[in-house]
Amino acid sequence: MTRYSIFSLARNALAHRPNWQRAWRSPDPRPAYDVVIVGGGGHGLATAYYLAKEHGVSNIAVLEKGWLGGGNTGRNTTVIRSNYLWDESAHLYEKALQLYEGLSQELNFNIMLSQRGVLNLVHNEHELKEMSRRVRAIRLNGIDSEILDRQAVKAEIPVINISPQVRYPILGASIQRRGGVARHDAVAWGFARAADARGVDIVQNCEVTGIDVANGRVRGLQTSRGAIAAKQVGLVAAGHSSLLAAMAGLRLPIESHPLQAMVSEPIKPVLDCVVMSNAVHVYLSQSDKGELVIGAGIDGYNSYAQRGSFQIIESQMGALLELFPSFSRLRMLRQWGGIVDVCPDASPIVGKTPVEGLYINCGWGTGGFKATPGSGWAFAHTIAQDRPHALNAPFTLERFSTGALIDEHGAAAVAH
Ligand code: FAD
Ligand code: PYC
């Protein structure tokens, strides 16, 4: 670093960075927009970006009650993969993964995508059979997936315990090598900056408190910053979707649950892939800072509190040590929770609603971060064309009355 740049950096830091440009504007909301997206998480911001970029919609606002990415987008454990069982899901999640693969370039913002591989461990004969069916189904959709035996698991993860003398011995694993992690805030910030550059108004600290509907059509929104008229409204509010839909008189088949995670103190590089185990109920990866990022299942009760309960932590730690006894003296640094919106079939709802001009994108449950660009891309198409894209056409609200469910409980991995 030159002397000039060191001084310049210090001067900017001390002067609260007057020369650093804001990544996006902070406009007051206008009285009317063509499209309003409710929810400034990754999915809402991606929707706004693709509406502007792919469909030329120019008069768009994203309304966020708190700060960008302050919901589940900034609280998740950043796992990305597309190893889903059913064709419908495989196509949608694979579209998202392919968009992720070019996203840093697309947004000119480093999202720190690291395709380090995601392993799903299996611990009994039933899981082995289920895994081999799943791997074949995934490959039939042209998505990478491999089976590893016990020794191959050890070769991938030298620190794991493959002893047969434990409660749940490891028999093998599936691996998606193109899976991995990406920096979650960067995904939100990258989409926000790129959407703002295309004229999207991103309004933080603006809570939607009511939805105006007349003659079966959406007319606008009531917010903590006044009334805003809108021709079309997209609800993208994750754990709060049921509350928002109820403002338009809709009842969703959604349950909101806390999902928590934690990180350890930083340690030297010890784990260079993502490991998940459904049977013992834990998953982990190591961050670039060296912390182990560790998660488990949802809390069993419904809640809108962004925190989880202690018994999950206790069983999560037990599961972690079963797989990695050498982590027994590691100290945990932080723990947090988010509110996830879970559908009965563990698949999302992305489409139209019975109210004209009102669209919904929710139900991603414990696994929507990986879908962010694909979800935004398909939802933008749905709003712009007033009909779903082929990729999200199966993920309707009506499937809960027609029975055309897409049961992805197995693919939802540890968290459900
Ligand atoms: P959010 O990021 O939650 O955005 C919704 C926004 O709507 C919020 O910012 C909220 O403040 C706003 N909002 C709500 N109500 C209103 C209102 N009335 N007015 C205005 N704004 C409102 N997924 C993965 O794929 N991989 C993982 O590894 C993974 N790990 C996870 C770990 C944890 C602990 C949690 C909690 C979730 C995890 N997920 C994971 C799930 C993933 O985080 C979510 O599915 C995804 O982030 C949802 O994105 P979103 O943009 O829809 O929601
Ligand atoms: O969907 O891969 C996932 C996931 C990992 C942790 C939570 N969800």
Side-chain angles (χ1 to χ4, degrees):
M1 189 180 274
T2 64
R3 238 176 45 200
Y4 172 78
S5 59
I6 291 170
F7 286 133
S8 158
L9 195 64
R11 197 171 49 246
N12 275 298
L14 292 172
H16 300 289
R17 302 179 279 277
N19 301 323
W20 289 10
Q21 277 185 345
R22 280 179 177 274
W24 52 84
R25 295 164 297 127
S26 184
D28 287 328
R30 283 187 257 147
Y33 289 94
D34 288 341
V35 181
V36 173
I37 302 297
V38 182
H43 289 235
L45 293 163
T47 304
Y49 170 73
Y50 289 117
L51 268 170
K53 184 191 172 216
E54 305 280 334
H55 304 281
V57 182
S58 56
N59 190 17
I60 309 170
V62 176
L63 307 183
E64 166 54 50
K65 73 172 177 178
W67 66 96
L68 297 190
N72 291 335
T73 297
R75 291 166 190 269
N76 66 63
T77 42
T78 77
V79 180
I80 288 175
R81 56 191 174 84
S82 61
N83 52 357
Y84 278 67
L85 179 65
W86 299 107
D87 296 351
E88 296 87 339
S89 331
H91 297 157
L92 184 54
Y93 287 99
E94 177 58 18
K95 169 76 180 173
L97 181 53
Q98 288 178 11
L99 288 171
Y100 262 123
E101 288 174 329
L103 202 58
S104 292
Q105 288 80 3
E106 166 83 19
L107 302 177
N108 189 24
F109 200 98
N110 188 0
I111 63 152
M112 297 170 77
L113 176 68
S114 164
Q115 292 179 287
R116 59 183 66 178
V118 175
L119 272 95
N120 286 82
L121 300 174
V122 299
H123 301 266
N124 57 48
E125 285 298 323
H126 168 76
E127 277 194 320
L128 264 180
K129 292 199 173 100
E130 168 61 20
M131 173 185 71
S132 78
R133 168 189 179 228
R134 189 171 287 276
V135 165
R136 287 185 174 88
I138 292 165
R139 285 160 72 148
L140 280 173
N141 273 314
I143 297 170
D144 69 303
S145 186
E146 295 165 38
I147 294 177
L148 303 179
D149 65 18
R150 218 170 113 251
Q151 291 303 336
V153 171
K154 184 73 178 168
E156 293 285 341
I157 317 167
V159 72
I160 206 164
N161 179 21
I162 59 161
S163 161
Q165 310 302 330
V166 294
R167 249 185 338 155
Y168 296 102
I170 293 167
L171 303 189
S174 64
I175 181 168
Q176 182 177 22
R177 294 194 187 275
R178 285 168 58 241
V181 292
R183 170 107 192 247
H184 46 15
D185 329 86
V187 172
W189 299 335
F191 273 121
R193 191 178 71 153
D196 173 88
R198 289 178 178 273
V200 173
D201 278 1
I202 297 170
V203 188
Q204 301 181 73
N205 297 312
C206 182
E207 178 168 5
V208 171
T209 53
I211 301 179
D212 301 330
V213 177
N215 300 323
R217 185 169 186 96
V218 75
R219 306 287 163 174
L221 299 162
Q222 299 299 318
T223 82
S224 55
R225 295 179 67 178
I228 300 176
K231 294 181 189 151
Q232 292 175 293
V233 172
L235 302 179
V236 199
H240 293 86
S241 302
S242 312
L243 299 177
L244 277 153
M247 295 176 195
L250 302 175
R251 187 156 179 250
L252 299 180
I254 291 267
E255 287 199 10
S256 294
H257 287 266
L259 177 67
Q260 55 180 308
M262 60 173 69
V263 291
S264 73
E265 61 187 325
I267 51 175
K268 287 189 175 169
V270 67
L271 183 66
D272 63 0
C273 57
V274 180
V275 190
M276 316 181 92
S277 166
N278 273 349
V280 301
H281 239 69
V282 76
Y283 66 89
L284 70 157
S285 64
Q286 188 169 20
S287 77
D288 296 338
K289 276 191 282 183
E291 300 165 335
L292 293 182
V293 182
I294 308 163
I298 53 173
D299 281 62
Y301 55 84
N302 301 136
S303 170
Y304 290 106
Q306 285 176 314
R307 61 166 189 269
S309 54
F310 191 72
Q311 66 266 29
I312 297 281
I313 300 176
E314 195 178 6
S315 62
Q316 181 179 358
M317 288 297 99
L320 177 74
L321 296 187
E322 175 124 12
L323 301 177
F324 300 95
S326 59
F327 292 157
S328 67
R329 295 175 64 192
L330 204 58
R331 280 166 295 201
M332 296 300 139
L333 281 195
R334 298 189 302 281
Q335 174 266 358
W336 67 91
I339 308 159
V340 295
D341 50 345
V342 183
C343 281
D345 60 355
S347 285
I349 302 167
V350 187
K352 297 179 65 164
T353 73
V355 177
E356 280 299 309
L358 184 68
Y359 309 82
I360 190 142
N361 182 334
C362 65
W364 293 97
T366 62
F369 175 65
K370 69 173 84 64
T372 305
S375 152
W377 188 90
F379 197 46
H381 175 105
T382 307
I383 295 172
Q385 310 285 327
D386 194 33
R387 63 184 156 80
H389 187 272
L391 280 177
N392 63 307
F395 296 92
T396 57
L397 185 54
E398 291 81 55
R399 76 178 187 275
F400 298 99
S401 41
T402 63
L405 303 180
I406 306 162
D407 189 341
E408 287 290 1
H409 278 96
V414 178
H416 273 7

